[in-house]
Amino acid sequence: MSYTGPDFDPPQRPPSSRLRSNKGYPRRPRRGPLTVALAALVPGALLGWVVYEAVGDGGSGGSGRTASPASPASASASASRTAAAPSSPLAPSAPSPRPTSPGDGGKRRTTPPTAGTGSGPLRGKVVVIDPGHNPGNFHHTAEINRKVNIGTNWKECDTTGTSTNGGYTEARFTLDVAHRLRTLLEEQGATVKFTHDGNSPAWGPCVDERARIGDDAHADAAVSIHADGSVEGNRGFHVILPGAVHSGAADTRPIVDPSRDLGARIAGNFLRDTGEPPSNYLGKGTGLVTRTDLGGLNLSTVPKVFIECGNMRDSKDATLLTSGAWRQKAAQGIADGIVGFLRAS
């Protein structure tokens, strides 16, 4: 994922060349591996969450991310979910039924079925899936460099994203996971809409339009899928939550609390289903990070989160991200979190 803008350097070579991650995160020195067993991560995450709530997100590294206090509007928006919220940031929801096939074969659907036509527990629920970036962005660098208003300031329309050292691009990864996720959610009866499907449109869409697609669909939940581009040794997943923003066209206050609930459920289920640990370089072990500089979150009027499924520049994470079997687990973890959130709402 890449949204910082000023240091964006569009690649002039094929995706296999080394790309700048441009994630908006600082390049941190390599840290050691997690020193606790995976089974101890959940209680550790709870302690990290308590610290996070008390002092704000310490993983910003001076990049401008801030943890904003809850407002009366956001508290009201989430009141109906309080009783059903997970007791821990990494507490998984009950898993949804597993599919008999790993995906839908990459079928493209630019127009989703009418909401409520499916059968299952999520009948009538609308989910918007936003596959981060677009494979066509590499050929439309002038278009994606155009600035758009994200409420707090102006940012590039979109970026190319990152890649593994072997050339597997983030855009390919996000589309694959998105297709798998769509299949899982539709089996539960949900109506699923994509912000794009590879070559439709041929590039982008811009970050403001991605948010608007979820808003116009009156989505019950929206998730943007990404993979990070940090340095070797920095590994693990993290879910990005919207901070409280009220500036220009942006007003996230009504969605802060329900988005936090959605993000916590996704984080807990992603950990359980994939075995991927929470990030060891952001989020203090909680797997949760709050940001106020992302247009896709700032301009959303529906509960929405981003998930960075792993670090493409770390060799251990890259092995997982390039595995079709693991991507199916990633889709399942995200799906289980969404299902838990929608059933509780």
Side-chain angles (χ1 to χ4, degrees), residues 151-193:
T152 53
N153 62 316
W154 293 75
K155 284 290 192 71
E156 278 71 20
C157 159
D158 200 6
T159 64
T160 58
T162 188
S163 74
T164 66
N165 292 331
Y168 181 63
T169 65
E170 181 181 2
R172 287 178 58 196
F173 169 82
T174 63
L175 273 173
D176 183 84
V177 173
H179 288 146
R180 296 170 188 269
L181 176 58
R182 179 174 65 192
T183 297
L184 293 168
L185 293 174
E186 288 181 342
E187 287 178 348
Q188 294 288 299
T191 295
V192 179
K193 182 177 179 63

Side-chain angles (χ1 to χ4, degrees), residues 24-94:
Y25 303 133
R27 295 289 189 180
R28 298 195 172 197
R30 175 174 180 172
R31 296 186 183 180
L34 295 173
T35 58
V36 294
L38 182 60
L41 283 174
V42 171
L46 178 58
L47 178 59
W49 178 251
V50 173
V51 175
Y52 175 90
E53 287 292 280
V55 301
D57 176 23
S60 64
S63 65
R65 296 185 300 278
T66 59
S68 304
S71 68
S74 61
S76 174
S78 65
S80 63
R81 298 190 177 94
T82 301
S87 58
S88 161
L90 295 183
S93 306

Side-chain angles (χ1 to χ4, degrees), residues 8-30:
F8 176 68
D9 184 12
Q12 300 301 318
R13 297 183 178 183
S16 60
S17 63
R18 188 175 182 84
L19 304 178
R20 300 180 63 181
S21 70
N22 192 31
K23 290 286 177 175
Y25 303 133
R27 295 289 189 180
R28 298 195 172 197
R30 175 174 180 172

